[in-house]
Amino acid sequence: MQTRATNPDWQTDDDEDFEPERVAAVGNDFERGAAFQGLWLSVRSQELRTGRVTAALSGVTVDLREAAISPEGATLYVQAALSGIEILVPPDCDVVCDIDAVCSGVRENWRVSGAGEPRPRLRITGMVVAGGLSVR
């Protein structure tokens, strides 16, 4: 004789628990953290100067493609432990990464457009421990 559960309580078709929290930042400075969950941070600042992102046991995407970097430049501070952070940069800025990676990977893969023109500089600095950082 075979028995089969027809709708166990532990099995659902509801995937909302796995969707990252979506947040927009519009100021010139922002600070955001995530722990034990996903986060998609869309930055829409018109003159971004500084940002701070902290991730612990989570995945974070920082989308800067709609932001305008301050003409003096901007700095993004990142800290990650057992986490991954992905940074999507606007095409009209120079990017400099200064990351301390401990048992981690750092991937810098962005496109430079408009060679020869002075562009604002985005400096990404911080530490990643047992995780990953992707800049594209």
Side-chain angles (χ1 to χ4, degrees):
M1 177 155 94
Q2 294 181 348
T3 59
R4 182 171 67 170
T6 55
N7 191 8
D9 293 336
W10 54 267
Q11 182 179 4
T12 65
D13 292 332
D14 187 11
D15 287 337
E16 15 181 281
D17 291 341
F18 300 107
E19 287 292 317
E21 178 184 6
R22 294 186 178 267
V23 177
V26 294
N28 294 339
D29 306 300
F30 68 89
E31 185 170 348
R32 191 68 190 190
F36 304 107
Q37 67 180 13
L39 172 67
W40 182 288
L41 179 61
S42 179
V43 180
R44 298 180 182 140
S45 169
Q46 294 306 303
E47 196 169 314
L48 180 64
R49 292 192 178 104
T50 60
R52 195 172 293 276
V53 177
T54 303
L57 293 163
S58 58
V60 175
T61 298
V62 181
D63 188 349
L64 300 173
R65 295 175 296 180
E66 294 182 40
I69 307 297
S70 168
E72 295 83 30
T75 301
L76 180 60
Y77 301 93
V78 297
Q79 294 179 345
L82 300 167
S83 302
I85 297 179
E86 177 181 41
I87 302 170
L88 307 175
V89 299
D92 62 343
C93 69
D94 289 327
V95 179
V96 175
C97 286
D98 180 20
I99 300 294
D100 292 327
V102 179
C103 297
S104 302
V106 176
R107 180 176 179 212
E108 302 171 34
N109 184 23
W110 66 90
R111 296 183 181 139
V112 177
S113 64
E117 301 172 13
R119 293 185 299 254
R121 174 170 287 178
L122 174 64
R123 181 172 179 252
I124 302 170
T125 185
M127 177 175 263
V128 179
V129 178
L133 176 70
S134 173
V135 181
R136 56 186 187 102

